[in-house]
Amino acid sequence: MAAFIAKQMVGNQLKSVKAATGGALGDKDEESKEGDGDTGEDPEIEEARREAEEKRKEKHRKMEEERETMRQSIRDKYGIKKKQEEEELLKQQMESAGRVGRKKKTPAELAAEANGEEEDDDEDEFTMPKNLDEFKSKVQDIPQKLTQTVGEVSEKCSLQ
């Protein structure tokens, strides 16, 4: 931060010295660059550059169309659906250009969410499973099966 401030102070003083001396230290180049936007080139060259730029953009647009048709043929061949989510996300990013963070919720969304939470509270109550009797009988059979298995194993493996 201090370096920035020092540079600003020295830079301003240097500019005032240049202005007092008549700008003899290469000020002419800066003036021509800061001029009325004319690059100093021949208008024919500028026109040629502009046309070349248009041709390049057209070429890239055609290439992208060809790629998209190729992608679509692959999607059709393998039955893949086009991802609309990415396009929607991209559109949202473009709409909220400088925004950082998530989209703010509207009052209607907040009210719907609050109603949904109230309904969820009712659903959180414990409900008994419908086949509870089946589970009870299985749990009651476990100790009998365990003693049976232990008895069989002890018969097979007798200690002498």
Side-chain angles (χ1 to χ4, degrees), residues 1-15:
M1 183 71 175
F4 174 74
I5 294 172
K7 184 177 179 183
Q8 289 294 322
M9 290 172 40
V10 171
N12 290 338
Q13 291 175 357
L14 184 61
K15 285 181 183 177

Side-chain angles (χ1 to χ4, degrees), residues 6-41:
K7 184 177 179 183
Q8 289 294 322
M9 290 172 40
V10 171
N12 290 338
Q13 291 175 357
L14 184 61
K15 285 181 183 177
S16 65
V17 170
K18 282 184 181 179
T21 60
L25 299 173
D27 218 15
K28 296 174 186 174
D29 293 336
E30 292 176 10
E31 288 177 6
S32 65
K33 289 180 183 175
E34 296 174 1
D36 55 327
D38 188 22
T39 58
E41 291 184 354

Side-chain angles (χ1 to χ4, degrees), residues 130-141:
K130 295 182 172 132
N131 53 359
L132 185 62
D133 294 331
E134 183 181 331
F135 287 129
K136 278 185 181 178
S137 63
K138 286 183 180 179
V139 170
Q140 290 172 351
D141 291 343

Side-chain angles (χ1 to χ4, degrees), residues 35-59:
D36 55 327
D38 188 22
T39 58
E41 291 184 354
D42 191 21
E44 294 174 359
I45 295 174
E46 290 179 13
E47 181 68 22
R49 283 189 180 172
R50 188 178 54 77
E51 287 177 9
E53 182 71 17
E54 289 174 4
K55 287 180 183 177
R56 186 187 64 81
K57 287 182 180 180
E58 182 66 22
K59 176 184 167 188

Side-chain angles (χ1 to χ4, degrees), residues 29-146:
D29 293 336
E30 292 176 10
E31 288 177 6
S32 65
K33 289 180 183 175
E34 296 174 1
D36 55 327
D38 188 22
T39 58
E41 291 184 354
D42 191 21
E44 294 174 359
I45 295 174
E46 290 179 13
E47 181 68 22
R49 283 189 180 172
R50 188 178 54 77
E51 287 177 9
E53 182 71 17
E54 289 174 4
K55 287 180 183 177
R56 186 187 64 81
K57 287 182 180 180
E58 182 66 22
K59 176 184 167 188
H60 287 287
R61 186 187 61 78
K62 286 180 182 177
M63 287 173 50
E64 188 58 33
E65 285 178 2
E66 290 173 2
R67 289 182 186 141
E68 186 58 34
T69 56
M70 178 68 73
R71 290 183 198 118
Q72 189 60 43
S73 66
I74 291 171
R75 283 188 211 108
D76 293 342
K77 181 178 179 181
Y78 296 105
I80 300 171
K81 295 180 180 177
K82 186 174 181 179
K83 292 184 180 178
Q84 298 293 332
E85 300 164 0
E86 293 178 6
E87 292 177 5
E88 291 173 7
L89 180 63
L90 188 62
K91 287 179 183 177
Q92 287 177 355
Q93 288 175 350
M94 295 302 249
E95 290 172 359
S96 62
R99 186 176 192 120
V100 178
R102 64 176 178 81
K103 184 185 97 179
K104 288 188 177 180
K105 294 181 179 179
T106 62
E109 290 174 338
L110 291 172
E113 189 175 289
N115 289 339
E117 288 177 4
E118 291 174 5
E119 291 174 4
D120 288 344
D121 292 340
D122 296 339
E123 293 173 2
D124 287 341
E125 294 177 8
F126 181 73
T127 56
M128 300 296 271
K130 295 182 172 132
N131 53 359
L132 185 62
D133 294 331
E134 183 181 331
F135 287 129
K136 278 185 181 178
S137 63
K138 286 183 180 179
V139 170
Q140 290 172 351
D141 291 343
I142 289 175
Q144 295 170 354
K145 289 182 181 179
L146 184 63

